[in-house]
Amino acid sequence: MAETLPTTNGVRENKIWKGIFAVSGIMITLVIYGVLQEKIMRVPYGLNKEYFKYSLFLVFCNRITTSAVSAGSLLASKKALDPVAPVYKYCLISVSNILTTTCQYEALKYVSFPVQTLAKCAKMIPVMIWGTFIMQKTYKGFDYLVAFLVTLGCSIFILFPEGTDMSPYSKGRENTVWGVSLMVGYLGFDGFTSTFQDKLFKGYNMEIHNQIFYTTLCSCVLSLTGLILQGHLLPAIDFVYRHNDCFLDIALLSTVATASQFFISYTIRTFGALTFAAIMTTRQLVSIMLSCVWFGHPLSWEQWIGAVIVFGSLYTKNFLKKASPKPPSPRQTQNGASSPVKGIP
């Protein structure tokens, strides 16, 4: 017994260090990512106070960085670059993922980052809906109760903003309606991406970097095509050329977005989807608090109540599932952690 004790302590200590690495990696990269995306889309640049309006350009920069890193990882590990699944399947995921990210960036023009971040907590609702129709999954009554409470909390948070927290792009209730519509689009496309990805890639034995590489490569081509067709490519490049600080912000945004994928993949593989969901819930709470302090977003007392309802429901769900004798597998979780690729910001 005495001989096995050091080994047990060593394993426990090793797991603690792995946990610290995973938590700090996700928190640092995604909190920085959240702050940067709000800064790029809502804070003016230069003496003339110009706003960056080309959200699809951000998608393109993020995806080309992630694609390059994934290709490098495949080459360094001497893994084949050949697609495992038919290319059109990667493209289907890419289209949905581009729409998800574009809605996310565009929404920041009309709603504050705290509103957007809290609304993301409601992603379990479209995941449940798509899971029912596409995967024929069934859910327990408790899952529907949590979904209802999260929806209630998000609704309170969105409908009762502090009057002084205005969008730089427009004023009045119209901006809230359009911003909420974009967030509904984000949630719908995001839920479809993760669910449809589960269905499409089931049965394929592929490396995570292979999946990320081809999905992001397709996203690069599609987002570049969209930029050219909209006539936004040259104006975006010109804006970044004239504002060096914007260039640095976009470069850092792409870097942390790519780095976050490693930490997401590592966390799910090492600790499971349930731990990942708890970390992501905490990250969202920290991001909201940091955004309120950094960018001066005042919160009304109704919004505080809404936030407590949302995060209280999510933490309760995570705690009860952790206490259950048979925790769900990563593919069954309803917190959007079914696959690391789905988590691409």
Side-chain angles (χ1 to χ4, degrees):
M1 182 66 68
E3 294 180 358
T4 61
L5 187 58
T7 304
T8 304
N9 290 337
V11 171
R12 185 181 298 128
E13 183 177 344
N14 185 42
K15 190 169 184 179
I16 290 174
W17 281 112
K18 285 183 178 180
I20 293 173
F21 175 72
V23 172
S24 59
I26 289 178
M27 294 291 288
I28 291 172
T29 55
L30 290 183
V31 168
I32 292 175
Y33 176 83
V35 171
L36 282 173
Q37 70 171 333
E38 181 170 19
K39 181 177 185 291
I40 293 170
M41 298 304 297
R42 290 179 66 94
V43 177
Y45 289 93
L47 297 176
N48 295 327
K49 303 294 183 182
E50 297 179 79
Y51 288 98
F52 185 84
K53 302 178 181 179
Y54 313 104
S55 55
L56 197 57
F57 185 75
L58 296 182
V59 178
F60 172 72
C61 291
N62 286 358
R63 299 303 181 264
I64 197 170
T65 303
T66 305
S67 180
V69 172
S70 299
S73 299
L74 287 171
L75 292 173
S77 59
K78 298 181 180 179
K79 301 283 178 63
L81 279 175
D82 297 331
V84 178
V87 175
Y88 79 89
K89 293 191 174 184
Y90 295 101
C91 291
L92 288 172
I93 299 299
S94 296
V95 171
S96 181
N97 190 261
I98 286 175
L99 292 172
T100 298
T101 313
T102 302
C103 286
Q104 173 182 313
Y105 287 138
E106 284 294 312
L108 279 175
K109 295 179 180 180
Y110 307 98
V111 297
S112 67
F113 180 77
V115 169
Q116 186 196 75
T117 302
L118 197 77
K120 288 180 182 180
C121 295
K123 66 172 60 180
M124 66 172 63
I125 300 166
V127 167
M128 291 171 68
I129 294 173
W130 288 119
T132 301
F133 284 102
I134 296 177
M135 305 293 287
Q136 284 78 51
K137 291 183 178 180
T138 56
Y139 301 92
K140 297 179 180 179
F142 178 71
D143 293 320
Y144 288 105
L145 175 61
V146 172
F148 169 76
L149 291 175
V150 170
T151 304
L152 177 64
C154 289
S155 300
I156 293 173
F157 198 91
I158 292 170
L159 294 175
F160 297 94
E162 186 69 27
T164 56
D165 191 19
M166 302 300 293
S167 164
Y169 284 84
S170 60
K171 297 181 179 180
R173 183 164 295 276
E174 292 80 8
N175 84 11
T176 301
V177 172
W178 182 235
V180 171
S181 299
L182 286 167
M183 283 308 303
V184 170
Y186 162 82
L187 292 171
F189 288 126
D190 186 57
F192 177 82
T193 299
S194 59
T195 308
F196 200 51
Q197 187 175 345
D198 270 350
K199 186 176 180 64
L200 285 180
F201 291 124
K202 186 171 290 185
Y204 292 101
N205 183 23
M206 66 173 64
E207 292 288 330
I208 181 62
H209 289 296
N210 182 283
Q211 195 175 7
I212 292 177
F213 172 67
Y214 279 99
T215 303
T216 53
L217 184 63
C218 291
S219 297
C220 287
V221 174
L222 293 171
S223 56
L224 180 61
T225 302
L227 284 168
I228 294 173
L229 292 177
Q230 291 178 339
H232 288 173
L233 180 60
L234 294 181
I237 294 174
D238 177 67
F239 187 97
V240 172
Y241 178 78
R242 289 185 292 106
H243 302 286
N244 291 332
D245 49 344
C246 183
F247 170 79
L248 294 175
D249 287 341
I250 293 176
L252 183 56
L253 180 78
S254 299
T255 301
V256 296
T258 301
S260 69
Q261 292 313 296
F262 167 77
F263 290 109
I264 289 172
S265 175
Y266 176 82
T267 302
I268 293 175
R269 186 172 62 248
T270 306
F271 298 99
L274 190 61
T275 300
F276 170 70
I279 295 173
M280 289 298 286
T281 301
T282 305
R283 191 274 301 182
Q284 290 167 326
L285 181 59
V286 172
S287 295
I288 289 176
M289 296 299 102
L290 183 60
S291 177
C292 290
V293 173
W294 193 286
F295 295 101
H297 296 300
L299 296 181
S300 64
W301 65 269
E302 293 95 342
Q303 287 180 309
W304 282 108
I305 293 175
V308 169
I309 293 174
V310 170
F311 288 110
S313 301
L314 293 176
Y315 278 120
T316 300
K317 179 182 180 183
N318 290 332
F319 175 77
L320 291 178
K321 286 203 172 185
K322 186 175 181 179
S324 65
K326 186 179 179 182
S329 66
R331 287 190 176 276
Q332 293 174 327
T333 181
Q334 303 310 314
N335 287 278
S338 57
S339 173
V341 175
K342 177 257 150 211
I344 294 175

